[in-house]
Amino acid sequence: MAGLGSCMMFLLFGSLCLIITPLAEAAIRKYQFDIQVKNVSRLCHAKPIVTVNGRYPGPTIYAREGDRVLVNVTNHAQYNLSIHWHGLKQYRNGWADGPAYITQCPIQSGSSYTYDFNVTGQRGTLWWHAHILWLRATVYGALVILPKPGTPFPFPKPAREFEILLGEWWNNDVEKVENQGNRMGLPPNMSDAHTINGKPGPLFPCSDKHTFAMEVEQGKSYLLRIINAALNDELFFAIAGHSLTVVEVDAVYTKPFTTQAILIAPGQTTNVLVQANQSPNRYFMATRAFMDVPISVDNKTATAILQYQGIPNTVLPILPQLPASNDSAFALSYNKKLRSLNSAQYPANVPLKVDRNLFYTIGLGQNPCPTCVNGTKLLASLNNISFVMPRVALLQAHYFKIRGVFRTDFPDRPQKPFNYTGVPLTANLGTSTGTRVSKIAFNSTVELVLQDTNLLTVESHPFHLHGYNFFVVGTGVGNFDPAKDPAKYNLVDPIERNTVGVPTGGWTAIRFQADNPGVWFMHCHLELHTGWGLKTAFVVEDGPGQDQSVLPPPKDLPRC
């Protein structure tokens, strides 16, 4: 995206960039994000939504590996908010990570803040989104990192690329939906539609004009950069008549494999190659929720159109066959196929020695709530601790040594072991609440096993770790067995990513090297569960070296 033509494209979409030459090793990319409320119509309903530069979804950020990016965010909306650059490692620079009350206080209405970060050692598809309340329902966009000049993709070059952002739409104001659920102590109303690039497609009322379409030329290949920006749903995605070749997830190249559909959890990205090798026609792209337990989800199918050149819009598109909404076998099989490329240029540097073993149980529960519908409210926990958001950002408290904001005694394992995935348990085992985090020694290697439990119900949970990629070395159904399961780990080419799904009634083991000092959020990327407390953070201590400590904060850092 270097050169004058690229800058013209950036300017067209309301962003700023510097003009650079194609041979430049690095550049400064400048963007302006104006947070604005705009009336938008979907499903025969019009309502005001929070947007970036008046767009829904928001503008794509383009950069190359090695670039510096500056995004000035000016908040014209009535909500205080922050922006998270999902998947960027932000080495030593948690001040630019964005989760409200974790690394910064939110940007107040009427104020501005400039996110200033380097793109180092990463290339591929990431994304950005609001990181407070449920505002990411409409405040999100793609973040495309191109390889350094002269560095080709490790797969055939496509004729063109498209960003495909999967989302959710509520007819009502999402903040009112969230608040109503909190007052009642129950899950809030599910979304009214899924969307593809902000549009639900013609299977919904008043939506013929709200349909994303992409035109292809027969015989050419195309790269789709697919992002699941939905708040609460894991999603299947497929294209009628066309196979998908997976070549990257979470900005990490994979061993290519072909599939008829993909499964993508909230927070995850997946790059696929599509060959336009079918009879010229119009074909539906479709997405629908995956849920393999009896929990209510929005199970309606959103669609977009892949259209061959020369085919008139009057031709009725063909609908793909998506996996059944509860197809656990497909979900487990698909995720097992994901392997790191592990080439000489893109090695999988899996930690083989573990310094710190952590075991976190994922649970739902109920606490007393006299004003709620049933006298109780739902909450969620890790190791039976439901996280309470602080009123001072954790990174600020850590850096400036402010006492009383958080405790560093989060337990390495559950206090009360039990048959985690046995018969359903309605007890909450005395769930406690608090702002408790784990302290991790700099450069130590960590293995974390995330174990789903049957407290109230089992359920799949996508977990995102800020500031790091990790290797998914093992996964399974049932209870993790520390005596037998580690022997089955993949320590050669496990998938490397920043968001991983913990299977329903199962476990996932991840490993990472704690070489990025600061305070880093870890949470379920189902916004409903995050709000209920399914989150914690790691305080990674400074190292002894000159470049192994948290950078000083910027002068315009928002204050609480």
mmCIF file of all heavy atoms in Angstrom, residues 97 99 102 131 358-362 382 387 394 410 436-438 446 448-450 462-467 470 498 500 510 512 519-525 530 533-538:
data_model
loop_
_atom_site.group_PDB
_atom_site.id
_atom_site.type_symbol
_atom_site.label_atom_id
_atom_site.label_comp_id
_atom_site.label_asym_id
_atom_site.label_seq_id
_atom_site.Cartn_x
_atom_site.Cartn_y
_atom_site.Cartn_z
ATOM 1 N N ASP A 97 -2.426 -0.063 23.909
ATOM 2 C CA ASP A 97 -3.208 -1.291 23.726
ATOM 3 C C ASP A 97 -4.706 -1.014 23.724
ATOM 4 O O ASP A 97 -5.443 -1.595 22.937
ATOM 5 C CB ASP A 97 -2.852 -2.302 24.811
ATOM 6 C CG ASP A 97 -3.432 -3.671 24.542
ATOM 7 O OD1 ASP A 97 -3.390 -4.113 23.380
ATOM 8 O OD2 ASP A 97 -3.943 -4.305 25.479
ATOM 9 N N PRO A 99 -7.575 -1.328 26.126
ATOM 10 C CA PRO A 99 -8.728 -1.727 26.937
ATOM 11 C C PRO A 99 -8.947 -0.768 28.108
ATOM 12 O O PRO A 99 -8.043 -0.526 28.909
ATOM 13 C CB PRO A 99 -8.359 -3.131 27.431
ATOM 14 C CG PRO A 99 -6.867 -3.174 27.381
ATOM 15 C CD PRO A 99 -6.477 -2.323 26.208
ATOM 16 N N ILE A 102 -7.805 -0.991 31.965
ATOM 17 C CA ILE A 102 -6.718 -1.956 32.076
ATOM 18 C C ILE A 102 -5.403 -1.258 31.744
ATOM 19 O O ILE A 102 -4.493 -1.215 32.569
ATOM 20 C CB ILE A 102 -6.944 -3.160 31.137
ATOM 21 C CG1 ILE A 102 -8.283 -3.822 31.449
ATOM 22 C CG2 ILE A 102 -5.796 -4.163 31.291
ATOM 23 C CD1 ILE A 102 -8.412 -4.417 32.823
ATOM 24 N N HIS A 131 -13.235 -0.833 23.197
ATOM 25 C CA HIS A 131 -13.000 -1.790 24.286
ATOM 26 C C HIS A 131 -13.565 -1.256 25.599
ATOM 27 O O HIS A 131 -12.854 -1.059 26.573
ATOM 28 C CB HIS A 131 -11.512 -2.103 24.428
ATOM 29 C CG HIS A 131 -11.244 -3.496 24.926
ATOM 30 N ND1 HIS A 131 -11.722 -3.955 26.135
ATOM 31 C CD2 HIS A 131 -10.569 -4.537 24.370
ATOM 32 C CE1 HIS A 131 -11.332 -5.201 26.308
ATOM 33 N NE2 HIS A 131 -10.636 -5.582 25.248
ATOM 34 N N LEU A 358 -0.003 -22.864 34.969
ATOM 35 C CA LEU A 358 -1.253 -22.285 35.459
ATOM 36 C C LEU A 358 -2.413 -23.149 34.987
ATOM 37 O O LEU A 358 -2.394 -23.690 33.876
ATOM 38 C CB LEU A 358 -1.430 -20.861 34.930
ATOM 39 C CG LEU A 358 -0.289 -19.878 35.175
ATOM 40 C CD1 LEU A 358 -0.586 -18.547 34.483
ATOM 41 C CD2 LEU A 358 -0.061 -19.669 36.668
ATOM 42 N N PHE A 359 -3.421 -23.266 35.835
ATOM 43 C CA PHE A 359 -4.621 -24.034 35.515
ATOM 44 C C PHE A 359 -5.826 -23.207 35.946
ATOM 45 O O PHE A 359 -6.040 -22.982 37.135
ATOM 46 C CB PHE A 359 -4.604 -25.381 36.255
ATOM 47 C CG PHE A 359 -5.765 -26.280 35.920
ATOM 48 C CD1 PHE A 359 -5.752 -27.065 34.786
ATOM 49 C CD2 PHE A 359 -6.878 -26.344 36.744
ATOM 50 C CE1 PHE A 359 -6.821 -27.899 34.482
ATOM 51 C CE2 PHE A 359 -7.950 -27.168 36.452
ATOM 52 C CZ PHE A 359 -7.922 -27.957 35.310
ATOM 53 N N TYR A 360 -6.593 -22.705 34.956
ATOM 54 C CA TYR A 360 -7.720 -21.820 35.242
ATOM 55 C C TYR A 360 -9.024 -22.506 34.836
ATOM 56 O O TYR A 360 -9.183 -22.926 33.678
ATOM 57 C CB TYR A 360 -7.608 -20.508 34.448
ATOM 58 C CG TYR A 360 -6.518 -19.560 34.898
ATOM 59 C CD1 TYR A 360 -5.669 -19.845 35.960
ATOM 60 C CD2 TYR A 360 -6.318 -18.352 34.222
ATOM 61 C CE1 TYR A 360 -4.672 -18.965 36.343
ATOM 62 C CE2 TYR A 360 -5.323 -17.455 34.606
ATOM 63 C CZ TYR A 360 -4.494 -17.777 35.659
ATOM 64 O OH TYR A 360 -3.508 -16.893 36.037
ATOM 65 N N THR A 361 -9.947 -22.595 35.761
ATOM 66 C CA THR A 361 -11.273 -23.132 35.455
ATOM 67 C C THR A 361 -12.208 -21.990 35.054
ATOM 68 O O THR A 361 -12.147 -20.889 35.605
ATOM 69 C CB THR A 361 -11.870 -23.864 36.655
ATOM 70 O OG1 THR A 361 -11.867 -23.001 37.804
ATOM 71 C CG2 THR A 361 -11.097 -25.127 36.968
ATOM 72 N N ILE A 362 -13.068 -22.289 34.086
ATOM 73 C CA ILE A 362 -14.031 -21.316 33.568
ATOM 74 C C ILE A 362 -15.402 -21.694 34.106
ATOM 75 O O ILE A 362 -15.859 -22.821 33.890
ATOM 76 C CB ILE A 362 -14.059 -21.340 32.026
ATOM 77 C CG1 ILE A 362 -12.656 -21.100 31.460
ATOM 78 C CG2 ILE A 362 -15.062 -20.344 31.471
ATOM 79 C CD1 ILE A 362 -12.519 -21.511 30.001
ATOM 80 N N LEU A 382 -13.061 -17.051 36.674
ATOM 81 C CA LEU A 382 -11.889 -17.885 36.462
ATOM 82 C C LEU A 382 -11.377 -18.297 37.838
ATOM 83 O O LEU A 382 -11.203 -17.442 38.721
ATOM 84 C CB LEU A 382 -10.798 -17.118 35.712
ATOM 85 C CG LEU A 382 -11.042 -16.853 34.220
ATOM 86 C CD1 LEU A 382 -10.017 -15.854 33.683
ATOM 87 C CD2 LEU A 382 -10.980 -18.158 33.418
ATOM 88 N N PHE A 387 -13.949 -11.172 38.117
ATOM 89 C CA PHE A 387 -13.099 -9.982 38.091
ATOM 90 C C PHE A 387 -13.936 -8.709 38.182
ATOM 91 O O PHE A 387 -14.951 -8.564 37.500
ATOM 92 C CB PHE A 387 -12.283 -9.969 36.797
ATOM 93 C CG PHE A 387 -11.222 -8.918 36.737
ATOM 94 C CD1 PHE A 387 -9.973 -9.142 37.287
ATOM 95 C CD2 PHE A 387 -11.460 -7.694 36.129
ATOM 96 C CE1 PHE A 387 -8.972 -8.169 37.219
ATOM 97 C CE2 PHE A 387 -10.482 -6.715 36.050
ATOM 98 C CZ PHE A 387 -9.233 -6.961 36.608
ATOM 99 N N LEU A 394 -5.150 -0.337 35.369
ATOM 100 C CA LEU A 394 -4.172 -1.206 36.025
ATOM 101 C C LEU A 394 -2.740 -0.855 35.638
ATOM 102 O O LEU A 394 -1.842 -0.857 36.490
ATOM 103 C CB LEU A 394 -4.453 -2.670 35.671
ATOM 104 C CG LEU A 394 -5.778 -3.266 36.125
ATOM 105 C CD1 LEU A 394 -5.839 -4.746 35.750
ATOM 106 C CD2 LEU A 394 -5.974 -3.099 37.625
ATOM 107 N N PHE A 410 -3.822 -13.653 42.378
ATOM 108 C CA PHE A 410 -4.723 -14.547 41.659
ATOM 109 C C PHE A 410 -4.144 -15.964 41.718
ATOM 110 O O PHE A 410 -2.969 -16.176 41.416
ATOM 111 C CB PHE A 410 -4.884 -14.103 40.206
ATOM 112 C CG PHE A 410 -5.976 -14.829 39.475
ATOM 113 C CD1 PHE A 410 -7.261 -14.337 39.469
ATOM 114 C CD2 PHE A 410 -5.707 -16.029 38.817
ATOM 115 C CE1 PHE A 410 -8.284 -15.020 38.794
ATOM 116 C CE2 PHE A 410 -6.718 -16.716 38.139
ATOM 117 C CZ PHE A 410 -8.008 -16.202 38.146
ATOM 118 N N ARG A 436 -8.120 -9.058 41.011
ATOM 119 C CA ARG A 436 -6.957 -9.877 41.342
ATOM 120 C C ARG A 436 -6.284 -10.331 40.050
ATOM 121 O O ARG A 436 -6.940 -10.776 39.116
ATOM 122 C CB ARG A 436 -7.381 -11.074 42.191
ATOM 123 C CG ARG A 436 -8.004 -10.646 43.514
ATOM 124 C CD ARG A 436 -8.642 -11.815 44.252
ATOM 125 N NE ARG A 436 -7.663 -12.801 44.680
ATOM 126 C CZ ARG A 436 -7.994 -13.928 45.326
ATOM 127 N NH1 ARG A 436 -9.262 -14.184 45.619
ATOM 128 N NH2 ARG A 436 -7.058 -14.793 45.692
ATOM 129 N N VAL A 437 -4.966 -10.204 39.986
ATOM 130 C CA VAL A 437 -4.185 -10.522 38.791
ATOM 131 C C VAL A 437 -3.018 -11.412 39.176
ATOM 132 O O VAL A 437 -2.711 -11.598 40.364
ATOM 133 C CB VAL A 437 -3.680 -9.237 38.095
ATOM 134 C CG1 VAL A 437 -4.833 -8.310 37.761
ATOM 135 C CG2 VAL A 437 -2.657 -8.505 38.974
ATOM 136 N N SER A 438 -2.342 -11.971 38.170
ATOM 137 C CA SER A 438 -1.155 -12.792 38.389
ATOM 138 C C SER A 438 0.093 -11.997 38.024
ATOM 139 O O SER A 438 0.120 -11.309 37.002
ATOM 140 C CB SER A 438 -1.204 -14.059 37.528
ATOM 141 O OG SER A 438 -2.228 -14.917 37.944
ATOM 142 N N VAL A 446 5.359 -19.662 30.180
ATOM 143 C CA VAL A 446 4.117 -19.936 30.896
ATOM 144 C C VAL A 446 3.305 -20.961 30.107
ATOM 145 O O VAL A 446 3.164 -20.842 28.886
ATOM 146 C CB VAL A 446 3.290 -18.646 31.074
ATOM 147 C CG1 VAL A 446 1.967 -18.944 31.780
ATOM 148 C CG2 VAL A 446 4.094 -17.597 31.841
ATOM 149 N N LEU A 448 -0.572 -22.313 30.289
ATOM 150 C CA LEU A 448 -1.884 -22.071 30.888
ATOM 151 C C LEU A 448 -2.879 -23.063 30.305
ATOM 152 O O LEU A 448 -3.065 -23.119 29.086
ATOM 153 C CB LEU A 448 -2.345 -20.632 30.611
ATOM 154 C CG LEU A 448 -3.804 -20.297 30.925
ATOM 155 C CD1 LEU A 448 -4.120 -20.500 32.406
ATOM 156 C CD2 LEU A 448 -4.130 -18.872 30.505
ATOM 157 N N VAL A 449 -3.501 -23.843 31.182
ATOM 158 C CA VAL A 449 -4.581 -24.735 30.775
ATOM 159 C C VAL A 449 -5.895 -24.075 31.167
ATOM 160 O O VAL A 449 -6.116 -23.758 32.346
ATOM 161 C CB VAL A 449 -4.456 -26.120 31.431
ATOM 162 C CG1 VAL A 449 -5.662 -26.993 31.064
ATOM 163 C CG2 VAL A 449 -3.161 -26.804 31.003
ATOM 164 N N LEU A 450 -6.752 -23.849 30.181
ATOM 165 C CA LEU A 450 -8.081 -23.293 30.403
ATOM 166 C C LEU A 450 -9.079 -24.434 30.364
ATOM 167 O O LEU A 450 -9.194 -25.143 29.353
ATOM 168 C CB LEU A 450 -8.406 -22.258 29.327
ATOM 169 C CG LEU A 450 -7.595 -20.964 29.389
ATOM 170 C CD1 LEU A 450 -7.639 -20.242 28.046
ATOM 171 C CD2 LEU A 450 -8.128 -20.056 30.492
ATOM 172 N N PRO A 462 -14.180 -18.346 23.718
ATOM 173 C CA PRO A 462 -12.987 -17.855 23.031
ATOM 174 C C PRO A 462 -12.202 -16.894 23.930
ATOM 175 O O PRO A 462 -12.713 -15.851 24.330
ATOM 176 C CB PRO A 462 -13.562 -17.122 21.818
ATOM 177 C CG PRO A 462 -14.917 -16.647 22.274
ATOM 178 C CD PRO A 462 -15.399 -17.626 23.302
ATOM 179 N N PHE A 463 -10.960 -17.245 24.246
ATOM 180 C CA PHE A 463 -10.146 -16.408 25.132
ATOM 181 C C PHE A 463 -9.089 -15.657 24.342
ATOM 182 O O PHE A 463 -8.400 -16.216 23.492
ATOM 183 C CB PHE A 463 -9.482 -17.263 26.218
ATOM 184 C CG PHE A 463 -10.309 -17.339 27.462
ATOM 185 C CD1 PHE A 463 -11.338 -18.254 27.566
ATOM 186 C CD2 PHE A 463 -10.098 -16.466 28.515
ATOM 187 C CE1 PHE A 463 -12.126 -18.313 28.702
ATOM 188 C CE2 PHE A 463 -10.870 -16.512 29.653
ATOM 189 C CZ PHE A 463 -11.899 -17.439 29.758
ATOM 190 N N HIS A 464 -8.967 -14.366 24.675
ATOM 191 C CA HIS A 464 -8.005 -13.473 24.027
ATOM 192 C C HIS A 464 -7.003 -12.977 25.056
ATOM 193 O O HIS A 464 -7.387 -12.523 26.137
ATOM 194 C CB HIS A 464 -8.733 -12.284 23.406
ATOM 195 C CG HIS A 464 -7.838 -11.211 22.865
ATOM 196 N ND1 HIS A 464 -6.730 -11.480 22.082
ATOM 197 C CD2 HIS A 464 -7.883 -9.852 22.982
ATOM 198 C CE1 HIS A 464 -6.139 -10.343 21.748
ATOM 199 N NE2 HIS A 464 -6.811 -9.353 22.286
ATOM 200 N N LEU A 465 -5.721 -13.087 24.711
ATOM 201 C CA LEU A 465 -4.650 -12.556 25.553
ATOM 202 C C LEU A 465 -4.053 -11.344 24.855
ATOM 203 O O LEU A 465 -3.568 -11.439 23.724
ATOM 204 C CB LEU A 465 -3.570 -13.621 25.777
ATOM 205 C CG LEU A 465 -2.335 -13.169 26.563
ATOM 206 C CD1 LEU A 465 -2.702 -12.683 27.964
ATOM 207 C CD2 LEU A 465 -1.312 -14.315 26.643
ATOM 208 N N HIS A 466 -4.094 -10.190 25.519
ATOM 209 C CA HIS A 466 -3.513 -8.964 24.964
ATOM 210 C C HIS A 466 -1.990 -9.013 25.083
ATOM 211 O O HIS A 466 -1.435 -9.613 26.000
ATOM 212 C CB HIS A 466 -4.028 -7.746 25.734
ATOM 213 C CG HIS A 466 -5.483 -7.452 25.523
ATOM 214 N ND1 HIS A 466 -5.960 -6.185 25.264
ATOM 215 C CD2 HIS A 466 -6.579 -8.248 25.529
ATOM 216 C CE1 HIS A 466 -7.267 -6.209 25.138
ATOM 217 N NE2 HIS A 466 -7.669 -7.467 25.300
ATOM 218 N N GLY A 467 -1.312 -8.346 24.145
ATOM 219 C CA GLY A 467 0.135 -8.170 24.243
ATOM 220 C C GLY A 467 0.962 -9.357 23.794
ATOM 221 O O GLY A 467 2.192 -9.261 23.760
ATOM 222 N N PHE A 470 0.315 -16.751 21.388
ATOM 223 C CA PHE A 470 0.612 -17.969 22.156
ATOM 224 C C PHE A 470 0.464 -19.167 21.227
ATOM 225 O O PHE A 470 -0.160 -19.091 20.158
ATOM 226 C CB PHE A 470 -0.303 -18.103 23.370
ATOM 227 C CG PHE A 470 -1.762 -17.922 23.072
ATOM 228 C CD1 PHE A 470 -2.494 -18.905 22.407
ATOM 229 C CD2 PHE A 470 -2.422 -16.759 23.444
ATOM 230 C CE1 PHE A 470 -3.841 -18.728 22.117
ATOM 231 C CE2 PHE A 470 -3.773 -16.576 23.159
ATOM 232 C CZ PHE A 470 -4.483 -17.561 22.500
ATOM 233 N N ASN A 498 -3.774 -15.292 18.854
ATOM 234 C CA ASN A 498 -4.001 -14.429 20.026
ATOM 235 C C ASN A 498 -5.350 -14.675 20.672
ATOM 236 O O ASN A 498 -5.611 -14.168 21.758
ATOM 237 C CB ASN A 498 -3.854 -12.950 19.644
ATOM 238 C CG ASN A 498 -4.866 -12.516 18.591
ATOM 239 O OD1 ASN A 498 -6.079 -12.543 18.812
ATOM 240 N ND2 ASN A 498 -4.373 -12.100 17.423
ATOM 241 N N VAL A 500 -8.214 -17.981 21.280
ATOM 242 C CA VAL A 500 -8.412 -19.418 21.102
ATOM 243 C C VAL A 500 -9.731 -19.840 21.732
ATOM 244 O O VAL A 500 -10.132 -19.325 22.780
ATOM 245 C CB VAL A 500 -7.248 -20.226 21.710
ATOM 246 C CG1 VAL A 500 -7.210 -20.088 23.231
ATOM 247 C CG2 VAL A 500 -7.327 -21.697 21.311
ATOM 248 N N ILE A 510 -2.227 -23.578 26.352
ATOM 249 C CA ILE A 510 -1.454 -22.628 25.552
ATOM 250 C C ILE A 510 -0.111 -22.369 26.238
ATOM 251 O O ILE A 510 0.025 -22.535 27.461
ATOM 252 C CB ILE A 510 -2.202 -21.297 25.351
ATOM 253 C CG1 ILE A 510 -2.397 -20.562 26.686
ATOM 254 C CG2 ILE A 510 -3.552 -21.539 24.674
ATOM 255 C CD1 ILE A 510 -2.999 -19.161 26.541
ATOM 256 N N PHE A 512 3.295 -19.465 26.174
ATOM 257 C CA PHE A 512 3.884 -18.231 25.671
ATOM 258 C C PHE A 512 5.068 -17.851 26.534
ATOM 259 O O PHE A 512 5.204 -18.303 27.682
ATOM 260 C CB PHE A 512 2.851 -17.093 25.640
ATOM 261 C CG PHE A 512 2.304 -16.677 26.979
ATOM 262 C CD1 PHE A 512 2.858 -15.601 27.676
ATOM 263 C CD2 PHE A 512 1.228 -17.347 27.559
ATOM 264 C CE1 PHE A 512 2.355 -15.210 28.905
ATOM 265 C CE2 PHE A 512 0.715 -16.962 28.783
ATOM 266 C CZ PHE A 512 1.280 -15.895 29.455
ATOM 267 N N VAL A 519 1.057 -4.630 31.832
ATOM 268 C CA VAL A 519 -0.162 -5.254 32.342
ATOM 269 C C VAL A 519 -1.002 -5.642 31.133
ATOM 270 O O VAL A 519 -1.350 -4.788 30.304
ATOM 271 C CB VAL A 519 -0.949 -4.308 33.260
ATOM 272 C CG1 VAL A 519 -2.225 -4.988 33.760
ATOM 273 C CG2 VAL A 519 -0.095 -3.866 34.436
ATOM 274 N N TRP A 520 -1.351 -6.932 31.039
ATOM 275 C CA TRP A 520 -1.991 -7.458 29.842
ATOM 276 C C TRP A 520 -3.264 -8.193 30.199
ATOM 277 O O TRP A 520 -3.262 -9.136 30.975
ATOM 278 C CB TRP A 520 -1.019 -8.356 29.069
ATOM 279 C CG TRP A 520 0.244 -7.624 28.728
ATOM 280 C CD1 TRP A 520 1.476 -7.776 29.293
ATOM 281 C CD2 TRP A 520 0.388 -6.575 27.757
ATOM 282 N NE1 TRP A 520 2.374 -6.908 28.738
ATOM 283 C CE2 TRP A 520 1.737 -6.154 27.787
ATOM 284 C CE3 TRP A 520 -0.494 -5.963 26.854
ATOM 285 C CZ2 TRP A 520 2.222 -5.146 26.956
ATOM 286 C CZ3 TRP A 520 -0.016 -4.958 26.031
ATOM 287 C CH2 TRP A 520 1.332 -4.567 26.086
ATOM 288 N N PHE A 521 -4.336 -7.748 29.609
ATOM 289 C CA PHE A 521 -5.679 -8.268 29.841
ATOM 290 C C PHE A 521 -5.818 -9.664 29.232
ATOM 291 O O PHE A 521 -5.283 -9.935 28.152
ATOM 292 C CB PHE A 521 -6.678 -7.315 29.171
ATOM 293 C CG PHE A 521 -8.062 -7.310 29.745
ATOM 294 C CD1 PHE A 521 -8.332 -7.753 31.029
ATOM 295 C CD2 PHE A 521 -9.111 -6.816 28.981
ATOM 296 C CE1 PHE A 521 -9.620 -7.707 31.543
ATOM 297 C CE2 PHE A 521 -10.409 -6.767 29.481
ATOM 298 C CZ PHE A 521 -10.663 -7.215 30.762
ATOM 299 N N MET A 522 -6.542 -10.545 29.905
ATOM 300 C CA MET A 522 -6.949 -11.824 29.327
ATOM 301 C C MET A 522 -8.415 -12.029 29.653
ATOM 302 O O MET A 522 -8.807 -11.956 30.828
ATOM 303 C CB MET A 522 -6.128 -12.992 29.862
ATOM 304 C CG MET A 522 -6.414 -14.283 29.077
ATOM 305 S SD MET A 522 -5.702 -15.760 29.805
ATOM 306 C CE MET A 522 -6.804 -16.021 31.185
ATOM 307 N N HIS A 523 -9.227 -12.306 28.633
ATOM 308 C CA HIS A 523 -10.664 -12.361 28.874
ATOM 309 C C HIS A 523 -11.352 -13.195 27.817
ATOM 310 O O HIS A 523 -10.838 -13.385 26.706
ATOM 311 C CB HIS A 523 -11.263 -10.940 28.873
ATOM 312 C CG HIS A 523 -11.067 -10.195 27.593
ATOM 313 N ND1 HIS A 523 -12.029 -10.130 26.606
ATOM 314 C CD2 HIS A 523 -10.013 -9.479 27.117
ATOM 315 C CE1 HIS A 523 -11.580 -9.395 25.595
ATOM 316 N NE2 HIS A 523 -10.360 -8.990 25.873
ATOM 317 N N CYS A 524 -12.540 -13.673 28.169
ATOM 318 C CA CYS A 524 -13.406 -14.306 27.191
ATOM 319 C C CYS A 524 -13.869 -13.229 26.213
ATOM 320 O O CYS A 524 -14.239 -12.134 26.633
ATOM 321 C CB CYS A 524 -14.602 -14.949 27.885
ATOM 322 S SG CYS A 524 -15.772 -15.756 26.770
ATOM 323 N N HIS A 525 -13.845 -13.536 24.910
ATOM 324 C CA HIS A 525 -14.241 -12.529 23.931
ATOM 325 C C HIS A 525 -15.726 -12.579 23.600
ATOM 326 O O HIS A 525 -16.181 -11.927 22.659
ATOM 327 C CB HIS A 525 -13.401 -12.634 22.652
ATOM 328 C CG HIS A 525 -12.985 -11.310 22.107
ATOM 329 N ND1 HIS A 525 -13.804 -10.530 21.306
ATOM 330 C CD2 HIS A 525 -11.858 -10.573 22.275
ATOM 331 C CE1 HIS A 525 -13.190 -9.411 20.987
ATOM 332 N NE2 HIS A 525 -12.006 -9.408 21.561
ATOM 333 N N THR A 530 -17.583 -11.435 29.371
ATOM 334 C CA THR A 530 -16.624 -10.449 29.883
ATOM 335 C C THR A 530 -17.298 -9.523 30.884
ATOM 336 O O THR A 530 -16.751 -9.234 31.949
ATOM 337 C CB THR A 530 -16.037 -9.625 28.723
ATOM 338 O OG1 THR A 530 -15.386 -10.495 27.805
ATOM 339 C CG2 THR A 530 -15.027 -8.609 29.228
ATOM 340 N N GLY A 533 -17.640 -10.899 34.307
ATOM 341 C CA GLY A 533 -16.440 -11.069 35.127
ATOM 342 C C GLY A 533 -15.498 -12.146 34.678
ATOM 343 O O GLY A 533 -14.573 -12.502 35.425
ATOM 344 N N LEU A 534 -15.670 -12.682 33.455
ATOM 345 C CA LEU A 534 -14.814 -13.772 32.969
ATOM 346 C C LEU A 534 -13.540 -13.175 32.372
ATOM 347 O O LEU A 534 -13.340 -13.133 31.155
ATOM 348 C CB LEU A 534 -15.567 -14.614 31.947
ATOM 349 C CG LEU A 534 -14.970 -15.989 31.596
ATOM 350 C CD1 LEU A 534 -14.687 -16.807 32.847
ATOM 351 C CD2 LEU A 534 -15.880 -16.748 30.651
ATOM 352 N N LYS A 535 -12.658 -12.708 33.264
ATOM 353 C CA LYS A 535 -11.468 -11.978 32.827
ATOM 354 C C LYS A 535 -10.499 -11.861 33.984
ATOM 355 O O LYS A 535 -10.867 -12.023 35.157
ATOM 356 C CB LYS A 535 -11.856 -10.580 32.330
ATOM 357 C CG LYS A 535 -12.735 -9.797 33.310
ATOM 358 C CD LYS A 535 -13.432 -8.615 32.646
ATOM 359 C CE LYS A 535 -14.436 -7.970 33.601
ATOM 360 N NZ LYS A 535 -15.256 -6.939 32.950
ATOM 361 N N THR A 536 -9.251 -11.574 33.651
ATOM 362 C CA THR A 536 -8.209 -11.282 34.624
ATOM 363 C C THR A 536 -7.094 -10.561 33.865
ATOM 364 O O THR A 536 -7.292 -10.112 32.739
ATOM 365 C CB THR A 536 -7.702 -12.561 35.318
ATOM 366 O OG1 THR A 536 -6.757 -12.214 36.346
ATOM 367 C CG2 THR A 536 -7.035 -13.509 34.338
ATOM 368 N N ALA A 537 -5.932 -10.435 34.468
ATOM 369 C CA ALA A 537 -4.803 -9.779 33.795
ATOM 370 C C ALA A 537 -3.508 -10.354 34.325
ATOM 371 O O ALA A 537 -3.456 -10.920 35.434
ATOM 372 C CB ALA A 537 -4.844 -8.261 34.005
ATOM 373 N N PHE A 538 -2.462 -10.229 33.518
ATOM 374 C CA PHE A 538 -1.110 -10.605 33.931
ATOM 375 C C PHE A 538 -0.275 -9.343 34.079
ATOM 376 O O PHE A 538 -0.246 -8.503 33.170
ATOM 377 C CB PHE A 538 -0.458 -11.516 32.891
ATOM 378 C CG PHE A 538 -1.110 -12.862 32.755
ATOM 379 C CD1 PHE A 538 -1.768 -13.200 31.588
ATOM 380 C CD2 PHE A 538 -1.060 -13.790 33.778
ATOM 381 C CE1 PHE A 538 -2.368 -14.433 31.439
ATOM 382 C CE2 PHE A 538 -1.660 -15.038 33.652
ATOM 383 C CZ PHE A 538 -2.320 -15.353 32.487
#
